[in-house]
Amino acid sequence: MASSDPNKRPPPPPGPDSAAMPPSSWAKRTGFRPKFSGETNSSDSGQISALPPPEPPQARPKPPNSSLDLEAGRPRPAPNGEAAAAKDRAKEEKDKERKEREKELAPPVRKRRDSDGGKNLGANGQTAAGEGSRRAVRNEEADVLPQSVLDDDGFISRQSHMKYDLRDSPGLVPIGLYGFQHFLSMLGSLILIPLVLVPAMGGSHEDTANIVSTVLFISGVTTLLHISFGSRLPLIQGPSFVYLAPALAIINSPEFLGLNGNNFKHIMKELQGAVIIGSAFQAFLGYSGLMSIFVRLINPVVVAPTVAAVGLSFYSYGFPRVGTCIEIGAVQILLVVVFSLYLRKVSILGHRVFLIYAVPLGLFITWATAFLLTESGVYNYKGCDANIPASNIISDHCRRHVSRMKSCRVDTTQALKSAPWFRFPYPLQWGTPVFHWNMALVMCVVSIISSVDSVGSYHASSLLVASRPPTAGVLSRGIGLEGLSSILAGLWGTGTGSTTLTENVHTIAVTKMGSRKAVQLGACILIALSLIGKVGGFIASIPQVIVAALLCFMWAMLTALGLSNLRYSEAGSSRNIIIVGLSLFFSLSIPAYFQQYGISPNSNVSVPSYLQPYIVASHGPIQTKSSGLNYVLNTLLSLHMVIAFLFALILDNTVPGSRQERGVYVWSEPEAARREPAVCKDYELPFRVSRMFRWVKWVGL
């Protein structure tokens, strides 16, 4: 029923211009400026915030219109003389009402948030509640690795599903627990490489214990240096699998195969010299600023097959070693798979224990099982002793079982008993390094591969824990410090360089812990443990079959983490599929040609079968007048990661493709990064060190 009060008029009908305007991002790009404020209530993107609209003016009371018949609800019939005047008055009232309506609906002043690039972010760069938080919940449930999402300013937006971000400090006790957990979850990456290298060099169990202690010490020191003066991201430094294959190639060089006696120290000094030269080249690559130029050629399509080839290259070592005691090795692999896959969502006290500690738990259970089998006499053979060298065994019965006894029993080593309680690793503990240009040149190429691996780790970890990706200068600074860290590893004699471990990204994504203070405290704990000699002896006593089983899992994880870099590109693109497929196939096929060249099936090779791929320098197809050049080319072309890197680098940078299709890494621009306080706090050097090096623009913000 219509109101009979003439002072209460119905609101005017909406005009054609009062429709809701498009989203603010479209208006920002096109420069559209609306006449009406329909966007105020419809836009929830957080990009632009509107001031409250002004209060509508109070309508003035108007005298009742005598021309209206209030009872009938229609105008009274006017006389002929008054019809024109009434029409004019109605037109004036209509114009006046239209002007008042336009004034009421005038667009309010809108201002842009002046922090975090116009994005509605929290104090540490997190996306505010809404779609971002819902996506974070889904990521936390699925444990997915970070995806690259561009915001309106061209930066990569960070996902806010971490428990602790880069600069968070929850307290001393939580920091200590999370830091120790972080290193414990990466135990396999830290300790397994020495357990492979030292026996290959002919070292004793005491040498293995000393190398393990040295690796733990250098890993703690270089992690502190990298977090403080490198990329400043919470990335653990340690012996990378990138260095394992070239180290095995140097160990099995022709000049070392004929050595008699304990040749451990002699080969270690050769390795030290090669690592020091290669690391010095990496430091120059970073601190000279060349890395900030070279990184333009490194994209996900290059990183993915290169890192994947590192894991695939050890297929000839993994299961052949497990097969020496299949019942122990198969149980170890099965346990790690069950913990990391089938029980990954089981939570105890808010922690996914089985997923985070899959490797340590599997190691403990399998080692305990092997101990019980040894003590129960399963591997006892009458009249046989596993500690007697195989060359001194006369009985055919013992010769058949000696390999099984050494592989399955846990009491064949005296490393734990002979290790001292306290031992301080010191530089040049194996003697003065020996330098040869051919081995040093191989390590220089390997340092480039290591830098490519680190570029992918920097980008992925920054999306998890930092407000923005680092600038190209910060990336160069991190690579330069990795070179210095590897020089320290060469001086102390770990057998490999010390670089960013690829498994960092997976560990951060699983533990949801990105605080660099926690990793720094964990590094201090690791240094303290390295000074206890019994810790190194305990790790050195792990049976070789368990080591090989764990390495099968670690190398498979490394391959998968490498291929996961393709999530930043269009993985379904035929261009990327062909490039990655060619790179991976030829990374397996070309080294196989070099490794099998000149070896007949009946040839008598003095090295074990699982080490034969690394003796290519003595029989490779490249035979020139220069033996040093033959060594370098045959060795490099037999390394799977080198072939994958060359194919991917050339094809990705020559085959046409859009930036979106290639998934080009987006790094923060220096000028834009300096304007954001959060980015400065994330990547600036501590103790105002950066102020002393403001002139070095290519290694900072």
Side-chain angles (χ1 to χ4, degrees):
M1 179 177 178
S3 175
S4 60
D5 188 356
N7 296 330
K8 297 181 179 179
R9 299 179 182 274
D17 295 332
S18 63
M21 67 170 285
S24 59
S25 59
W26 177 86
K28 174 184 173 183
R29 291 195 301 269
T30 59
F32 176 74
R33 306 188 67 174
K35 295 181 179 179
F36 303 106
S37 59
E39 186 194 13
T40 303
N41 296 328
S42 63
S43 175
D44 61 351
S45 64
Q47 297 270 352
I48 301 176
S49 60
L51 293 178
E55 296 182 0
Q58 299 292 333
R60 297 179 181 178
K62 297 180 181 179
N65 192 349
S66 59
S67 64
L68 294 177
D69 188 352
L70 300 179
E71 294 182 0
R74 63 177 181 269
R76 291 192 180 97
N80 294 335
E82 298 179 357
K87 187 175 181 180
D88 293 339
R89 285 196 301 268
K91 185 177 181 181
E92 290 176 0
E93 291 178 0
K94 186 176 181 180
D95 292 341
K96 187 176 181 180
E97 290 174 359
R98 181 176 58 82
K99 292 179 180 179
E100 290 180 355
R101 185 168 67 247
E102 290 181 356
K103 185 176 180 180
E104 292 175 3
L105 299 179
V109 179
R110 311 173 74 84
K111 69 177 183 178
R112 184 179 181 87
R113 297 183 185 270
D114 56 356
S115 62
D116 298 303
K119 200 172 176 64
N120 190 14
L121 302 178
N124 198 23
Q126 301 185 26
T127 306
E131 181 181 358
S133 61
R134 292 192 296 270
R135 181 172 63 247
V137 171
R138 291 195 298 268
N139 287 346
E140 187 173 1
E141 293 176 353
D143 289 322
V144 297
L145 294 175
Q147 305 291 329
S148 62
V149 181
L150 289 175
D151 60 16
D152 289 339
D153 294 330
F155 287 108
I156 295 290
S157 61
R158 185 179 57 82
Q159 301 176 6
S160 57
H161 63 281
M162 303 295 294
K163 291 180 180 177
Y164 298 109
D165 293 319
L166 186 61
R167 290 178 277 115
D168 288 349
S169 180
L172 184 60
V173 175
I175 280 181
L177 293 177
Y178 278 109
F180 183 71
Q181 164 194 281
H182 206 69
F183 279 88
L184 187 61
S185 63
M186 299 184 66
L187 183 65
S189 302
L190 293 173
I191 66 172
L192 294 180
I193 289 182
L195 301 183
V196 175
L197 286 181
V198 177
M201 288 188 285
S204 62
H205 297 296
E206 291 78 7
D207 296 329
T208 305
N210 294 336
I211 290 290
V212 169
S213 298
T214 304
V215 165
L216 297 180
F217 178 79
I218 291 298
S219 178
V221 171
T222 55
T223 299
L224 288 176
L225 289 175
H226 187 83
I227 295 178
S228 300
F229 304 104
S231 69
R232 306 225 66 199
L233 294 169
L235 301 174
I236 296 177
Q237 309 294 296
S240 174
F241 288 114
V242 174
Y243 286 91
L244 180 56
L248 290 174
I250 292 177
I251 291 171
N252 292 279
S253 297
E255 56 265 34
F256 301 147
L257 295 179
L259 294 178
N260 297 322
N262 186 4
N263 53 4
F264 166 74
K265 288 187 177 181
H266 182 79
I267 299 178
M268 176 58 75
K269 290 186 290 185
E270 297 277 356
L271 273 177
Q272 286 182 263
V275 169
I276 290 174
I277 297 298
S279 304
F281 173 75
Q282 186 180 19
F284 171 77
L285 191 67
Y287 285 124
S288 65
L290 292 176
M291 193 63 199
S292 60
I293 301 175
F294 180 59
V295 75
R296 301 173 186 173
L297 305 177
I298 302 174
N299 295 307
V301 181
V302 178
V303 175
T306 302
V307 179
V310 175
L312 292 175
S313 61
F314 299 104
Y315 68 92
S316 62
Y317 184 95
F319 205 81
R321 294 284 284 164
V322 174
T324 58
C325 186
I326 191 66
E327 64 269 23
I328 299 297
V331 168
Q332 174 69 84
I333 295 176
L334 181 64
L335 284 174
V336 177
V337 169
V338 169
F339 290 157
S340 59
L341 292 179
Y342 295 98
L343 301 179
R344 71 185 189 278
K345 292 187 177 181
V346 176
S347 180
I348 300 177
L349 299 178
H351 297 273
R352 297 186 180 183
V353 176
F354 294 103
L355 179 60
I356 297 174
Y357 305 113
V359 171
L361 284 175
L363 171 62
F364 174 77
I365 295 175
T366 309
W367 202 353
T369 303
F371 176 79
L372 293 177
L373 293 176
T374 301
E375 292 299 320
S376 61
V378 174
Y379 303 116
N380 289 341
Y381 297 94
K382 186 176 180 180
C384 302
D385 187 358
N387 296 320
I388 298 177
S391 58
N392 296 338
I393 297 178
I394 301 176
S395 172
D396 294 336
H397 169 73
C398 293
R399 285 185 177 180
R400 287 197 305 268
H401 298 291
V402 64
S403 176
R404 182 175 177 82
M405 291 173 63
K406 290 184 177 181
S407 300
C408 298
R409 296 182 66 92
V410 298
D411 58 354
T412 57
T413 173
Q414 304 297 323
L416 182 59
K417 294 181 180 179
S418 60
W421 278 102
F422 176 82
R423 182 182 183 274
F424 183 81
Y426 56 92
L428 305 181
Q429 55 187 333
W430 315 116
T432 304
V434 178
F435 301 94
H436 286 99
W437 70 270
N438 52 357
M439 299 179 184
L441 188 58
V442 170
M443 281 298 178
C444 288
V445 176
V446 172
S447 67
I448 297 177
I449 307 295
S450 173
S451 301
V452 172
D453 184 11
S454 298
V455 167
S457 299
Y458 289 175
H459 186 268
S461 60
S462 66
L463 296 186
L464 286 168
V465 302
S467 56
R468 302 289 189 194
T471 63
V474 173
L475 185 144
S476 295
R477 188 178 70 198
I479 297 299
L481 191 63
E482 284 190 16
L484 294 181
S485 300
S486 295
I487 291 176
L488 294 180
L491 291 174
W492 261 258
T494 61
T496 64
S498 182
T499 183
T500 299
L501 299 178
T502 312
E503 296 82 0
N504 273 290
V505 179
H506 177 260
T507 301
I508 294 174
V510 169
T511 61
K512 306 292 187 297
M513 199 286 300
S515 172
R516 61 183 167 212
K517 291 184 179 180
V519 180
Q520 286 174 326
L521 187 55
C524 295
I525 297 175
L526 195 67
I527 293 174
L529 291 176
S530 69
L531 303 180
I532 303 175
K534 292 294 184 182
V535 173
F538 178 77
I539 296 174
S541 60
I542 300 176
Q544 284 293 309
V545 64
I546 296 180
V547 172
L550 289 176
L551 284 172
C552 288
F553 178 79
M554 299 300 300
W555 289 329
M557 277 290 300
L558 183 62
T559 302
L561 287 172
L563 293 177
S564 68
N565 284 276
L566 292 174
R567 67 188 180 275
Y568 301 115
S569 65
E570 292 184 359
S573 166
S574 60
R575 172 192 182 275
N576 297 343
I577 290 175
I578 294 174
I579 291 176
V580 174
L582 288 174
S583 302
L584 287 178
F585 176 78
F586 284 109
S587 71
L588 297 176
S589 184
I590 293 179
Y593 166 72
F594 277 79
Q595 294 165 5
Q596 298 171 9
Y597 185 87
I599 296 182
S600 60
N602 298 325
S603 60
N604 185 15
V605 182
S606 58
V607 299
S609 60
Y610 52 84
L611 292 179
Q612 288 184 8
Y614 307 104
I615 62 173
V616 64
S618 61
H619 60 79
I622 298 179
Q623 300 293 334
T624 65
K625 296 181 179 180
S626 174
S627 59
L629 183 61
N630 297 340
Y631 178 90
V632 171
L633 294 179
N634 286 322
T635 301
L636 288 178
L637 295 178
S638 68
L639 298 178
H640 303 75
M641 56 186 178
V642 174
I643 301 299
F645 172 69
L646 292 177
F647 267 84
L649 181 71
I650 295 173
L651 292 177
D652 184 55
N653 289 280
T654 56
V655 177
S658 64
R659 292 177 59 88
Q660 181 180 0
E661 184 180 19
R662 298 174 63 194
V664 176
Y665 285 135
V666 178
W667 308 102
S668 298
E669 293 294 333
E671 295 182 359
R674 294 190 199 101
R675 291 195 301 264
E676 295 200 35
V679 180
C680 293
K681 292 179 181 179
D682 285 346
Y683 298 111
E684 272 190 346
L685 296 178
F687 313 118
R688 299 182 178 180
V689 175
S690 57
R691 295 186 179 183
M692 301 170 56
F693 297 96
R694 285 182 177 176
W695 55 276
V696 191
K697 299 295 183 182
W698 54 87
V699 290
L701 290 177

